[in-house]
């Protein structure tokens, strides 16, 4: 049984993370009813780097990201964003404006055309006209490999892959400092996966954004990650630079990277 | 035997607790939706869009319902009234019956079936496909963006729909009265206007506003707190229509007591 006092925010008045760390999770736990999804997750995302979380389905990768962004409240532990502890309070507009998020299924708003989806946050800025917003939206669509004609279509008129790319365009529309990608290449063909991988890399290298990505796609991991964390049974089992992912002796990582049925991760869950 | 009795009491207790939980939850939800009416940012475009969806596109179904209800009402009152020589009351009773009760209640129930289910399905799908989470990450309060515009639009649209339903219902009665029952057209119109009071019409319109609020609120509430998957969406839709219909009928009684008792 976990020692609650150890994870209590009042009992652990630990100092803020190093300024080079953009996101820090310390001993984060989250349960849904009797199911402990996150047991003790400690993870850091250095500023301007791309961290990729790998792990099997249902191991809590999405819960990890949703806890950081404020969609879920952790039961215990600390979450820090840019030196500010955020786990016990509602994320304000100022903080949310620094985030961009690509959801697994795109999560586009069906009732709005593509350009209004992409420019949704921009349109809240009353100093920008609709024409300005559309122009920016079209430019972001171009960056993810979509033609300007796509802007006036509705999400239901797009293929799954196109919806995903619109989701990426929306995530980067307001030039966020921190971007979360939930399965960015799932459902895309290899060429378009390459385009999205390149885009994520570009955002990190050129703009200096901090990216946190969840993926099962190992080619994507190799293309976009600076650091990799392996989540299994609610705990980060391994964390290290992407260059070490093939040489590590950690049995969880070895099984996952090599796609082996035999190993410490049970194939049937 | 004892376990059976205990089981029955446990079931009754669970139902009462569930009802109390739903009532409290729905009140808090309604309070939140109403509070956002007065707090910026506002989404007038969304209100207009919902007004069209809820009000304008419900016109055919409400109009048809009112037309046939007025026609049947005229026929029934004529047949029933002829038993005690009260055939001449057809016009006045149709007008009073439609404006006070049948217009608002039937329009409310028809719109509950059409709109409450659609709202619940739409918002539940948004929940399931993470669109509501996406709104939060885009610094937009989902209650403000999704619920408040629908509640405002339905509360404003229903009285207008009922005004149309009242007119068409009375017209239905007039057509049957004149064409089928051989009333003189001028006499029918005079009997309609002579006994109809302003309070008959306004009470129906106030009822309609309350019904509109209930319809949108139940659709939004059940959609917002829907379960996962297609089953969750289906359950949300059913619950929205059932709860909206029951609340319309129950609140209709309360409002009638308020308007016309004593």
């Amino acid at each position: 049984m976990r020692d609650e006092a150890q994870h209590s925010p009042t009992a652990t008045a630990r100092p803020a993370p190093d300024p080079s760390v953009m996101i820090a999770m310390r001993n984060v736990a989250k349960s849904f009813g009797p199911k402990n999804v996150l047991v003790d997750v400690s993870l850091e995302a250095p500023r301007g780097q791309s961290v990729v979380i790998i792990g099997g389905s249902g191991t809590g990768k999405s819960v990890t990201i949703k806890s950081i962004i404020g969609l879920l409240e952790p039961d215990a532990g600390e979450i820090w964003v840019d030196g500010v502890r955020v786990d016990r309070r509602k994320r304000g507009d100022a903080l949310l404006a620094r985030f961009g998020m690509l959801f697994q299924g795109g999560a586009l708003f069906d009732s709005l055309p593509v350009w209004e989806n992409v420019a949704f946050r921009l349109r809240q800025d009353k100093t920008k006209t609709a024409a300005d917003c559309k122009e920016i939206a079209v430019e972001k669509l171009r960056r993810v490999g979509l033609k300007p004609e796509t802007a006036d279509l509705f999400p239901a008129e797009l293929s799954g892959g196109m919806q995903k790319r619109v989701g990426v365009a929306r995530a980067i529309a307001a030039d966020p400092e921190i971007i979360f990608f939930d399965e960015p290449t799932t459902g895309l063909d290899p060429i378009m996966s390459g385009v999205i991988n390149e885009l994520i890399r570009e955002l990190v290298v050129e703009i200096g954004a901090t990216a946190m990505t969840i993926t099962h796609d190992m080619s994507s991991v190799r293309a976009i990650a600076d650091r990799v964390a392996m989540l299994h049974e609610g705990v980060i089992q391994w964390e290290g630079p992407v260059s070490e992912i093939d040489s590590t002796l950690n049995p969880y990582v070895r099984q996952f990277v090599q796609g082996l049925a035999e190993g410490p991760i049970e194939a049937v869950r | 035997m004892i376990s059976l009795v205990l089981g029955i009491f446990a079931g009754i207790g669970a139902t009462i607790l569930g009802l109390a939980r739903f009532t409290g939850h729905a009140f808090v939800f309604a309070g939140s939706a109403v509070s956002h009416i007065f707090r910026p940012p506002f989404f007038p475009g969304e209100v207009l869009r919902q007004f069209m969806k809820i009000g304008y596109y419900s016109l055919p179904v409400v109009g048809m319902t009112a037309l046939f209800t007025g026609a049947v009402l005229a026929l029934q009152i004529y047949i029933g009234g002829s038993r005690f020589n009260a055939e001449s009351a057809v016009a006045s009773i149709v007008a009073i019956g439609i404006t006070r009760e049948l217009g608002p209640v039937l329009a409310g129930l028809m719109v509950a079936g059409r709109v409450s289910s659609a709202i619940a399905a739409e918002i539940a799908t948004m929940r399931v496909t993470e669109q509501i989470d996406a709104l939060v990450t885009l610094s937009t309060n989902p209650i403000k963006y999704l619920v408040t515009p629908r509640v405002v639009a339905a509360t404003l649209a229903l009285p207008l729909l009922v005004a149309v339903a009242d007119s068409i219902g009375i017209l239905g009665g007039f057509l049957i009265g004149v064409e089928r029952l051989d009333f003189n057209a001028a006499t029918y119109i005079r009997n309609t206007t002579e006994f109809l009071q302003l309070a008959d019409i306004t009470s129906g319109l106030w009822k309609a506003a309350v019904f509109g609020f209930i319809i949108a609120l139940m659709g939004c509430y059940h959609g917002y707190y829907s379960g996962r998957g297609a089953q969750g969406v289906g359950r949300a839709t059913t619950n929205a229509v059932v709860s909206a219909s029951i609340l319309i009928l129950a609140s209709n009684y309360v409002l009638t007591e308020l308007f016309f008792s004593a």
Side-chain angles (χ1 to χ4, degrees):
Chain A
M1 194 180 197
R2 281 187 309 109
D3 177 1
E4 286 299 329
Q6 185 191 337
H7 297 294
S8 156
T10 50
T12 55
R14 287 185 282 178
D18 188 87
S20 65
V21 174
M22 182 59 103
I23 298 167
M25 301 179 81
R26 290 171 173 171
N27 310 110
V28 171
K30 177 71 186 173
S31 302
F32 295 96
K35 191 177 181 194
N36 299 321
V37 179
L38 302 183
V39 177
D40 187 359
V41 171
S42 295
L43 179 67
E44 289 188 348
R47 192 180 296 273
Q49 289 204 16
S50 171
V51 174
V52 175
I53 304 172
I54 57 172
S57 301
T59 51
K61 302 188 297 298
S62 294
V63 173
T64 303
I65 279 188
K66 286 182 177 178
S67 298
I68 298 169
I69 213 163
L71 293 170
L72 294 171
E73 191 180 325
D75 301 331
E78 298 175 8
I79 297 174
W80 296 75
V81 175
D82 200 9
V84 178
R85 191 169 168 187
V86 298
D87 51 273
R88 285 289 178 271
R89 57 189 179 142
K90 200 170 170 283
R91 311 297 189 270
D93 285 353
L95 183 60
L96 285 171
R98 299 174 69 187
F99 292 155
M101 167 98 188
L102 167 69
F103 286 86
Q104 200 166 341
L108 302 179
F109 307 127
D110 302 316
S111 58
L112 300 179
V114 164
W115 79 266
E116 283 196 55
N117 264 282
V118 175
F120 193 89
R121 189 194 288 282
L122 301 171
R123 295 211 66 187
Q124 293 172 35
D125 178 357
K126 298 299 174 198
T127 60
K128 286 191 175 71
T129 64
D132 293 339
C133 293
K134 190 168 184 179
E135 197 178 321
I136 295 169
V138 168
E139 167 56 20
K140 299 296 178 187
L141 288 169
R142 194 194 55 73
R143 285 195 73 177
V144 295
L146 291 171
K147 292 176 182 166
E149 302 89 88
T150 319
D152 292 315
L153 298 177
F154 280 83
E157 297 174 272
L158 305 177
S159 68
M162 288 168 87
Q163 288 186 13
K164 192 67 150 254
R165 282 184 277 160
V166 174
V168 176
R170 183 174 69 184
I172 63 171
D175 299 321
E177 295 167 62
I178 305 160
I179 316 176
F180 300 94
F181 296 98
D182 192 349
E183 305 281 3
T185 54
T186 302
L188 299 180
D189 62 71
I191 296 168
M192 203 39 68
S193 294
V195 170
I196 297 298
N197 288 338
E198 259 180 41
L199 179 68
I200 295 173
R201 226 26 257 172
E202 206 178 290
L203 290 167
V204 173
V205 174
E206 291 181 12
I207 303 169
T210 304
M212 191 175 267
T213 307
I214 292 169
T215 186
H216 294 109
D217 179 355
M218 288 313 297
S219 62
S220 186
V221 174
R222 290 186 172 84
I224 65 176
D226 291 309
R227 298 187 67 78
V228 179
M230 169 90 199
L231 183 64
H232 182 66
E233 291 180 336
V235 176
I236 298 291
Q237 302 287 352
W238 181 83
E239 199 217 335
V242 67
S243 55
E244 293 178 11
I245 198 165
D246 292 308
S247 56
T248 177
L249 297 176
N250 184 291
Y252 294 99
V253 179
R254 285 178 72 86
Q255 186 188 354
F256 192 85
V257 169
Q258 293 171 22
L260 303 172
E262 299 297 322
I265 305 171
E266 285 179 41
V268 180
R269 278 184 285 271
Chain B
M1 184 63 188
I2 292 172
S3 64
L4 180 72
V5 173
L6 283 176
I8 292 168
F9 278 112
I12 294 168
T15 307
I16 293 169
L17 282 176
L19 199 64
R21 192 164 44 237
F22 163 74
T23 308
H25 212 190
F27 263 99
V28 172
F29 188 77
S32 176
V34 171
S35 74
H36 281 292
I37 295 173
F38 309 103
R39 286 186 285 161
F42 305 111
F43 295 99
E46 265 306 297
V47 175
L48 192 65
R49 182 154 39 193
Q50 294 305 326
F51 189 84
M52 290 298 285
K53 281 171 80 172
I54 296 167
Y56 184 71
Y57 294 118
S58 295
L59 272 174
V61 70
V62 167
M64 293 297 279
T65 306
L67 183 73
F68 289 115
T69 303
V72 167
L73 196 59
L75 209 53
Q76 289 283 27
I77 293 166
Y78 181 82
I79 296 164
S82 65
R83 293 177 191 164
F84 42 89
N85 299 322
E87 298 96 325
S88 59
V90 168
S92 344
I93 295 178
V94 166
I96 293 168
I98 290 281
T99 52
R100 277 193 180 197
E101 285 301 324
L102 294 172
V105 172
L106 289 181
L109 292 175
M110 294 308 287
V111 176
R114 200 190 87 82
V115 170
S116 204
S117 55
I119 291 175
E122 186 181 3
I123 295 182
T125 306
M126 290 184 78
R127 167 68 69 198
V128 170
T129 56
E130 297 185 306
Q131 290 178 51
I132 291 180
D133 285 346
L135 278 174
V136 176
T137 64
L138 292 165
S139 311
T140 301
N141 185 312
I143 302 278
K144 181 183 280 295
Y145 185 73
L146 296 175
V147 180
T148 303
R150 283 165 172 81
V151 167
V152 170
T155 307
L156 296 175
L158 256 286
L160 295 176
L161 274 174
V162 167
V164 174
D166 286 353
S167 311
I168 295 176
I170 291 170
L171 177 71
F174 172 83
L175 290 176
I176 291 299
V178 173
E179 297 299 326
R180 166 92 167 71
L181 306 173
D182 293 330
F183 278 94
N184 176 276
T187 310
Y188 192 98
I189 292 170
R190 193 175 61 245
N191 284 347
T192 299
T193 53
E194 197 172 1
F195 293 101
L196 193 64
Q197 295 175 358
L198 187 64
D200 297 327
I201 299 168
T202 53
S203 66
L205 299 183
W206 281 112
K207 281 181 180 181
V210 174
F211 298 164
F213 181 83
I214 288 169
I215 288 165
L217 188 75
M218 286 299 102
C220 293
Y221 175 82
H222 289 287
Y224 200 82
Y225 294 109
S226 73
R228 285 164 166 264
Q231 224 173 11
V233 176
R235 201 174 300 123
T237 309
T238 308
N239 290 342
V241 177
V242 170
S243 57
S245 302
I246 290 171
L247 284 174
I248 284 172
L249 295 171
S251 63
N252 182 49
Y253 173 75
V254 175
L255 291 168
T256 305
E257 281 278 8
L258 272 176
F259 289 136
F260 300 109
S261 64

